Every structure is written in structure tokens, then in C-alpha cells.
Amino acid sequence: MTESVVLRRKAFRLPRHPASVGEARHRTGGHLASWGHPPRSAIREETVLLVSELAADTVLHGPRDEPDFEVAVTVLAHGSCLVEVSDGIPDEAVLPTPTPTRPPAPRPHHTPDPLLPGHARTLVTAVSEAWGVRDRGRYGKTVWALATVAP
């Protein structure tokens, strides 16, 4: 296995409001463009789609008393993009985040999952190489997805 090196990372917080989903897409697309990914590139489109779905899920199903959520996008040296969306809902069903020494743990396609209900789960599973959830203890959880493009 080759080691993944972080080339660029950008994190930002947005208000927990439906309009923030579009803002998350816009900011992510802008960051990827400034990092050299053209508008119609497959990795950019997949990454923006994953951000959109995970942000929408957080806005729709996140804690009502939490005013905002965080989006982070990391471009890895081998061309993949790691998307992370964090909110304040603690969770017990956690998968580890991929690291340079640990490949992503794939999510079985047939497993029902309350972490990403319905359409979001189907889409994230279909588009991402892998996805999972990292527990942040009393600070909630981070749902992550790895976008890759076949060579």
C-alpha cells in the first residue's frame, strides 16, 4: 500500500440552515478549483456531490439546538479527496477514518444504517470509495467519505 500525503486541507463552519448546503457546495468547488481541479473534473464533481449530501443530512437530521456544523475537504497526494462533515450528535456506530497507514474501511452496501438515512446513504455508498463515522465523544461525530477517481 502506498502512503497518502495531505496536499491541501480546508475546513469551514456554516450555520445549520438549508441555504448552507449550497454554500458548502460553492466553497468546496472554489477550494478545489484554486487547488487545480477544473470545473468538470470527475474528482471535483464527486467531492462536491459528497459534501452536498453530507451537509444536507446534517442540516436535516442534526441537533436542533446546534447553531452550526463543520465541513472539511482534504486533497491527498494520490488524487483522492477526503470529505468530513461534523455535527454535535454523538454516535456509537463508528468506523475509523482512513490514515496514511490504514486504508479506508468499506461500508457494506446492504447494511441498514441510521447514520445516513435513505437517499443519502445510497448516494454516498455509490459515489465514495469508502465512508464511515468518527466519534468525537461529547462533541458529536464526523461523517467522512473518500472520493477517488480511477486512473
Side-chain angles (χ1 to χ4, degrees), residues 13-112:
R13 295 195 76 77
L14 293 170
R16 198 176 155 277
H17 185 274
S20 293
V21 176
E23 181 64 19
R25 280 193 305 266
H26 176 74
R27 285 193 187 184
T28 299
H31 295 311
L32 291 171
S34 72
W35 297 338
H37 296 282
R40 298 274 183 229
S41 68
I43 192 70
R44 182 171 165 183
E45 289 189 355
E46 286 182 12
T47 301
V48 169
L49 179 60
L50 289 169
V51 164
S52 182
E53 285 302 312
L54 296 180
D57 185 67
T58 296
V59 167
L60 290 172
H61 304 290
R64 299 284 176 226
D65 60 344
E66 187 172 315
D68 58 6
F69 63 97
E70 182 178 89
V71 176
V73 179
T74 305
V75 176
L76 304 173
H78 66 298
S80 296
C81 288
L82 178 65
V83 171
E84 299 169 286
V85 176
S86 302
D87 65 25
I89 299 176
D91 192 82
E92 297 168 4
V94 175
L95 293 177
T97 301
T99 66
T101 58
R102 181 179 60 239
R107 190 74 134 167
H109 290 262
H110 62 279
T111 304

Side-chain angles (χ1 to χ4, degrees), residues 1-2 4 96-106 129-130 144 146:
M1 179 174 122
T2 59
S4 298
T97 301
T99 66
T101 58
R102 181 179 60 239
E129 176 74 20
W144 59 265
L146 187 66

